[in-house]
Every structure is written in structure tokens, then in C-alpha cells.
Amino acid sequence: MVNIVEKIRKELQQNIETEYQANYQQYFKEKLFYYGVRTPVVRRLAEQYFKKLQASASVDKKTIFTLSEELYRHQFHEEAIIATQWLAKLSGQFTKKDFKIFANWLNKYLDNWSKVDDFCLHLFQPLIRKYPELISPIKLWSFSKNRWVRRASAVSLISTQGSSYVSQHQLADIFTIVRILFNDPEDLVQKAAGWLLKASSIHHQQEIFKFVMKYRTQMSRTTLRYAIEKMPTDLRRQALDRR
């Protein structure tokens, strides 16, 4: 099965676009490892090879986890996209034990905002919906020395299915995380905190606005602007008026 990873890498190399490759790094502050293949092409390859894996009677969840870790370990951006897309297809088979595996991969292999966001939205989110108690260890990530783990503490609570699922108890967890990340030294973590508030405000505008007004002078301007982005103009004006 390792051979399939080698085939994927060969196809990625064959699909490099020189002009696209030259501009790829501009979206990231940190040093990036990448081929320079457009995301729709990468996702098409992921789908193509997943079907090949499904066709093999010897391939199970454990095998796909092993192959995915090999892709993450290589650090190349496009390979991480493929690994996350594969794993997301197994979300119905996720168990509570998988949380530790994913948390380990997050800490060891994910090294930019795009990898982290894709991973959190498609792997941790299904786990949280199935096992809400996992929010407790995720809250502790907001204290991590790893900036990507801190970003994950916020992004993991953003639902790809909308925010209507958020209960009052989960709002309390969200507020706890955001308060810790208010003035994080990394702007990408501040943005994640604001994004979490913004996503939650879609169905909980009153609660989020009340929270923002209470802490607007304590949170960074970056977090504040992200948090109120979806709110009506009059509420945004109130939030931005710090007098």
C-alpha cells in the first residue's frame, strides 16, 4: 500500500504548474513545502486514489490511517490535503480513541493555518458532534506553546454544518477559549478566535454581541473585527466605538 503514496507523489509532480508554484508561498508567512498543484486537481487525485483503496479488499480504516500519517509526515501541503480528504470520508467510523491519534498528528505534522483549518473542520468537528465531552481537552489546547494547536482550539469548534447545533453549554466553552486567546501573540490565532465568535453569531447573535460588548476593550482589534463581521451595521458600530 505504501506504493500508492509513491504513485500520488509522482502524479503531483506531473501536475505542477510553474506559474502557480511561483506564487504559492505568498499566502503563508511560514516556510511552506509544496509542489505547486492547484487544489481542485489535488482533490480530484484524492478522490481517484480513495476509490482505488476502496476497491481493495485488504484496505480498512487502519490502513487508511497509516497511509494518511505517511502523507502528513512528508509535510508537503498537497499531500496533507489528500490525507485529510481521505480521513473525512471515514468520519462515520471515528471513535473516541481516534481523538488522541488526531491530536498527536496536529501537534507533530500540521504547520500552517490551511492544514490546521482543513484538519479541524473535517476531523475534529465530526468527533465533537459525536462526543461533545471532547471539548474539555480541546479547551486546554488554548494554553499550548504550539501556535497551531492554539488555533485549533478555536477552529475545532466551528461547525461546517452551520452553528445552529451550538448549545448554551457549548457557548460557555466557546467563550472560555476565546477569552484565553484574546491577545494571543500570533495574529492567526487572534483571527481564529474572532472566526469562532463570528460563526457562532449566525444563530446566537444576541449572546455573541453581549459577550463582545463586555470584552471589546480587552480583545485584540483583529479578534473584534472578525467577531462582528456578520452582524448588522448598527451593532458593528456599537462594538467598534470604544469610548
Side-chain angles (χ1 to χ4, degrees):
M1 279 295 108
V2 174
N3 187 45
I4 202 168
V5 172
E6 295 172 357
K7 289 180 179 178
I8 288 170
R9 289 172 179 161
K10 185 175 181 180
E11 284 218 44
L12 286 170
Q13 290 168 354
Q14 292 171 345
N15 281 279
I16 292 172
E17 292 186 32
T18 306
E19 184 176 348
Y20 183 68
Q21 183 186 53
N23 297 317
Y24 207 92
Q25 179 67 58
Q26 68 178 310
Y27 302 106
F28 303 87
K29 294 179 181 179
E30 55 283 336
K31 173 65 177 176
L32 200 68
F33 294 96
Y34 58 93
Y35 294 93
V37 181
R38 293 187 183 275
T39 301
V41 176
V42 177
R43 296 205 178 280
R44 175 177 57 78
L45 289 174
E47 188 68 28
Q48 173 187 326
Y49 278 95
F50 190 80
K51 288 179 179 178
K52 290 182 179 181
L53 289 170
Q54 282 184 310
S56 174
S58 62
V59 173
D60 55 10
K61 175 185 169 182
K62 183 179 179 180
T63 303
I64 293 175
F65 270 46
T66 299
L67 293 172
S68 296
E69 182 172 14
E70 173 59 26
L71 290 169
Y72 286 130
R73 184 184 291 114
H74 198 219
Q75 299 292 90
F76 275 69
H77 194 77
E78 292 91 341
E79 293 184 30
I81 292 174
I82 291 172
T84 299
Q85 187 167 324
W86 283 359
L87 293 166
K89 291 179 179 294
L90 303 180
S91 61
Q93 301 178 43
F94 289 171
T95 69
K96 202 171 180 179
K97 291 182 179 179
D98 295 329
F99 178 78
K100 288 186 177 180
I101 295 173
F102 294 162
N104 182 49
W105 292 351
L106 166 66
N107 195 53
K108 287 175 64 176
Y109 305 130
L110 304 191
D111 54 6
N112 66 61
W113 62 265
S114 181
K115 286 182 185 178
V116 169
D117 293 357
D118 200 27
F119 194 88
C120 292
L121 295 173
H122 296 100
L123 304 188
F124 284 126
Q125 248 304 303
L127 272 171
I128 290 172
R129 287 198 298 271
K130 197 171 183 180
Y131 307 104
E133 62 271 24
L134 291 175
I135 293 177
S136 291
I138 287 175
K139 285 193 292 186
L140 297 178
W141 295 353
S142 54
F143 295 103
S144 174
K145 293 181 180 180
N146 184 329
R147 58 178 167 167
W148 304 121
V149 175
R150 296 199 306 275
R151 181 175 173 94
S153 70
V155 179
S156 294
L157 270 68
I158 297 172
S159 175
T160 55
Q161 298 183 354
S163 302
S164 58
Y165 84 98
V166 176
S167 67
Q168 290 300 318
H169 175 71
Q170 287 167 321
L171 273 178
D173 292 326
I174 287 169
F175 293 152
T176 297
I177 290 170
V178 171
R179 286 183 65 184
I180 296 167
L181 303 179
F182 268 169
N183 291 288
D184 193 277
E186 296 288 341
D187 69 324
L188 287 171
V189 177
Q190 295 175 20
K191 289 176 180 178
W195 181 16
L196 176 56
L197 290 174
K198 176 174 66 176
S200 302
S201 75
I202 295 174
H203 296 284
H204 299 275
Q205 181 178 284
Q206 183 178 355
E207 295 96 323
I208 300 302
F209 181 69
K210 182 179 179 181
F211 177 82
V212 167
M213 291 301 290
K214 182 177 181 179
Y215 294 104
R216 60 182 176 153
T217 59
Q218 297 177 41
M219 67 177 69
S220 71
R221 197 73 167 178
T222 297
T223 298
L224 175 61
R225 287 191 174 276
Y226 268 67
I228 63 177
E229 195 173 289
K230 295 287 185 181
M231 293 185 184
T233 303
D234 62 323
L235 296 186
R236 295 203 305 273
R237 286 174 177 164
Q238 289 183 56
L240 291 171
D241 183 2
R242 295 199 179 192
R243 290 176 297 176

